[in-house]
Amino acid sequence: MNYKSKQDFLDNVHSKFSNEKEFLQAVEEVIGSIWDTVQQSQDYLDGNILDRIITPERVIIFRVPWLDDNGSVHVNLGYRIQFNSAIGPYKGGLRFHPTVNLGVLKFLAFEQIFKNSLTGLNLGGGKGGSDFDPKGKSDNEIMKFCQSFMTELSRHIGHNTDVPAGDIGVGGREIGFMFGQYKRIRNEFTGVLTGKKTDWGGSLIRPEATGYGTVYFVEEMLKTRNESISGKVATISGSGNVAQFACEKLIQLGAKPVTLSDSSGYIYDPEGITSEKLEFVKKLKENSSARISEYAKKYNVDFIEGKTPWEVKCDIALPCATQNELNEDDAKALTENGCFVVAEGANMPSTTEAVEHFIEEKILFGPGKAANAGGVAVSGIEMSQNSTRMPLSSEEVDNLLKGIMTRIHTTCVQYGDKGDFINYVDGANIGGFVRVADSMIDQGIV
Ligand code: NDP
């Protein structure tokens, strides 16, 4: 179908998916970047690439019944969105969080298509999860939930079909329980999940990869202005997997991270979060119910309840918690306070208006699909190690990760260079899109 204009296309998408607001937000951003590229290609127009790329190949929704420690029966919804397999098996994390719904997972799976393409690896786009809340649950309850979830999911995934990983609420423990159940049902030991523990097929550096990769991407952005990370003050939101390892790499490279947060508020440590203090956070957050406010008590610093850290003066801001956690007012506060680098460790943490502000101000803004692609890149490397049954050393994986983040940056510059500044949003969207779209055209109308 040919659309009269970009607005005509977007109106059609809105009318179809009006109740999926995060998905609409993600589609609007991508279409804003790729529209002209599509109009200039007769193959893309003839192949109706736009309608096809915004439509998932498959959406699976299922019941997840489980028993709590008191013997009461609970039911959650389970999802897997198999969005696009043009360049490889579906790949993307599983999120366990009460805010999970179809619109959130479709936005995450849609973003994942372009992110995975940018890595240069053969990975399609997918995402899944459940509205299950792991907070306050016993290990036994978590195991029972994971087993029930995998009992259904196992019919739809496989190491050459769809390879899920972790995300919010899904770490090494949950991946272990799900891997065990998959192996039991299918009687096969394959790399069907990534983010595994290293004793049974996981890759070294996978836990670190998203946070480290985000900071490697920041390094590349800073190089375009002859700057480096050393000596810069950084604010970070979140205190989970991505936030912890972004903080670790910043410390290693001589920056001063001053904040971490969770859904209750943020801590501000003007002296800087040191390696020793970060170890405290890692231990603390092994318990998913633990609160970051404990840091403030232990180190006698401020805990600012119910707020996000974007009011704190910094050079670099790394949103690493969740979607839409940084709005237009936050964006303005950041740039007014001198912040000139924002890299998204989380997926779509900045609202549309916040992104527009960063672009207007021409700061170095690295969107999630580029800046946080290190996690899925190392997941791809984990899949290779599982296929060859040959593990790599930490140093080897870290070097591969650095190389991939540098190449992603180069792709963003190739497609996003506007002369006086680099629009990394356009760069990442167009760079990720072209490879997938060309592959879809090659493979016919499927
Ligand atoms: P974790 O579960 O390890 O940590 C999530 C952190 O974000 C916690 O501090 C949590 O606080 C906070 N958070 C979650 N939801 C909210 C909310 N609604 N409001 C405020 N804070 C919130 O998850 P990850 O670190 O793995 O993921 C963080 C982000 O990074 C997500 O956007 C994810 O999609 C993205 N990402 C993750 C990758 C990975 O490899 N893990 C790869 C690429 C992107 P609390 O404990 O209070 O809930």
Side-chain angles (χ1 to χ4, degrees):
M1 177 170 171
N2 278 329
Y3 292 93
K4 287 198 293 286
S5 63
K6 181 161 60 180
Q7 200 49 52
D8 184 28
F9 175 77
L10 290 174
D11 288 346
N12 184 49
V13 181
H14 271 267
S15 68
K16 269 195 199 155
F17 306 111
S18 55
N19 53 349
E20 296 173 7
K21 74 178 168 50
E22 292 86 359
F23 177 60
L24 290 171
Q25 184 183 340
V27 168
E28 267 189 37
E29 187 214 274
V30 170
I31 297 298
S33 296
I34 66 172
W35 182 260
D36 290 346
T37 307
V38 172
Q39 302 314 306
Q40 286 154 14
S41 161
Q42 201 54 48
D43 281 347
Y44 292 168
L45 291 172
D46 291 347
N48 195 1
I49 210 74
L50 286 179
D51 273 326
R52 286 161 68 204
I53 210 155
I54 62 147
T55 308
E57 290 173 19
R58 198 170 296 104
V59 175
I60 301 146
I61 305 183
F62 51 97
R63 178 171 69 197
V64 189
W66 56 280
L67 281 166
D68 69 19
D69 290 343
N70 299 320
S72 301
V73 178
H74 298 261
V75 177
N76 286 96
L77 279 175
Y79 302 84
R80 187 70 186 164
I81 318 288
Q82 298 182 331
F83 217 120
N84 193 304
S85 62
I87 62 167
Y90 310 105
K91 180 94 197 90
L94 296 171
R95 175 176 292 190
F96 293 168
H97 196 273
T99 55
V100 161
N101 59 38
L102 187 59
V104 167
L105 292 180
K106 274 182 69 184
F107 118 66
L108 288 163
F110 183 68
E111 292 270 300
Q112 198 82 43
I113 302 169
F114 308 98
K115 181 190 309 194
N116 292 3
S117 167
L118 284 169
T119 66
L121 303 175
N122 283 107
L123 303 169
K127 198 85 187 188
S130 173
D131 56 0
F132 173 73
D133 186 357
K135 282 204 189 81
K137 305 289 188 302
S138 69
D139 280 357
N140 196 32
E141 289 170 333
I142 300 274
M143 182 178 76
K144 283 195 279 195
F145 175 81
C146 288
Q147 289 179 340
S148 181
F149 182 83
M150 183 50 87
T151 301
E152 176 57 34
L153 188 68
S154 65
R155 303 166 194 262
H156 310 288
I157 62 174
H159 67 292
N160 286 323
T161 309
D162 183 354
V163 184
D167 191 78
I168 292 178
V170 178
R173 174 182 60 167
E174 292 74 19
I175 293 287
F177 293 147
M178 288 190 274
F179 184 81
Q181 183 73 349
Y182 181 88
K183 186 164 60 64
R184 180 187 191 193
I185 292 172
R186 301 286 283 258
N187 194 24
E188 58 180 38
F189 191 109
T190 58
V192 67
L193 295 166
T194 58
K196 302 183 289 295
K197 298 266 177 80
T198 46
D199 281 342
W200 39 277
S203 177
L204 291 164
I205 304 291
R206 176 60 188 90
E208 293 87 344
T210 308
Y212 279 19
T214 302
V215 177
Y216 294 150
F217 195 81
V218 167
E219 265 191 310
E220 292 304 312
M221 292 201 294
L222 282 168
K223 277 187 204 160
T224 67
R225 299 198 179 174
N226 297 319
E227 293 257 15
S228 73
I229 284 180
S230 179
K232 301 280 184 304
V233 174
T235 49
I236 305 174
S237 65
S239 49
N241 171 273
V242 179
Q244 288 174 17
F245 288 105
C247 188
E248 182 165 286
K249 187 52 75 181
L250 283 174
I251 297 168
Q252 286 172 11
L253 296 177
K256 183 161 91 165
V258 292
T259 68
L260 286 170
S261 74
D262 59 24
S263 50
S264 3
Y266 76 91
I267 60 100
Y268 174 44
D269 187 342
E271 297 297 312
I273 299 163
T274 58
S275 305
E276 181 210 324
K277 293 171 180 172
L278 181 60
E279 280 315 306
F280 169 79
V281 175
K282 287 185 187 172
K283 271 260 158 298
L284 177 76
K285 288 286 175 171
E286 277 171 16
N287 169 4
S288 59
S289 306
R291 302 289 78 202
I292 195 67
S293 51
E294 292 301 315
Y295 180 108
K297 284 186 203 146
K298 181 160 172 72
Y299 296 109
N300 197 24
V301 299
D302 286 342
F303 171 67
I304 297 87
E305 196 177 346
K307 295 194 90 178
T308 50
W310 315 126
E311 59 195 9
V312 173
K313 186 173 165 52
C314 65
D315 305 300
I316 302 172
L318 302 182
C320 297
T322 193
Q323 63 270 8
N324 292 328
E325 54 160 316
L326 193 165
N327 64 25
E328 187 179 11
D329 289 343
D330 299 325
K332 286 182 177 158
L334 280 168
T335 55
E336 276 161 21
N337 275 329
C339 173
F340 71 105
V341 187
V342 176
E344 297 185 326
N347 286 308
M348 208 169 74
S350 315
T351 62
T352 307
E353 298 75 24
V355 174
E356 281 166 5
H357 176 75
F358 292 142
I359 289 174
E360 263 164 36
E361 292 289 312
K362 300 189 176 173
I363 68 158
L364 297 170
F365 173 68
K369 56 173 86 64
N372 71 38
V376 74
V378 173
S379 276
I381 295 165
E382 182 171 329
M383 287 162 71
S384 306
Q385 294 171 77
N386 293 161
S387 297
T388 57
R389 301 189 193 284
M390 184 67 79
L392 300 173
S393 68
S394 293
E395 202 187 6
E396 285 169 318
V397 179
D398 199 23
N399 282 335
L400 288 168
L401 171 63
K402 269 188 208 147
I404 290 173
M405 296 315 296
T406 305
R407 277 202 303 279
I408 293 175
H409 183 268
T410 305
T411 304
C412 289
V413 175
Q414 182 188 342
Y415 290 100
D417 194 347
K418 307 286 176 191
D420 61 338
F421 105 111
I422 300 157
N423 183 328
Y424 288 90
V425 174
D426 281 354
N429 285 333
I430 301 170
F433 167 75
V434 168
R435 181 170 171 227
V436 176
D438 289 349
S439 306
M440 289 171 73
I441 299 294
D442 290 344
Q443 293 166 27
I445 310 298
V446 291

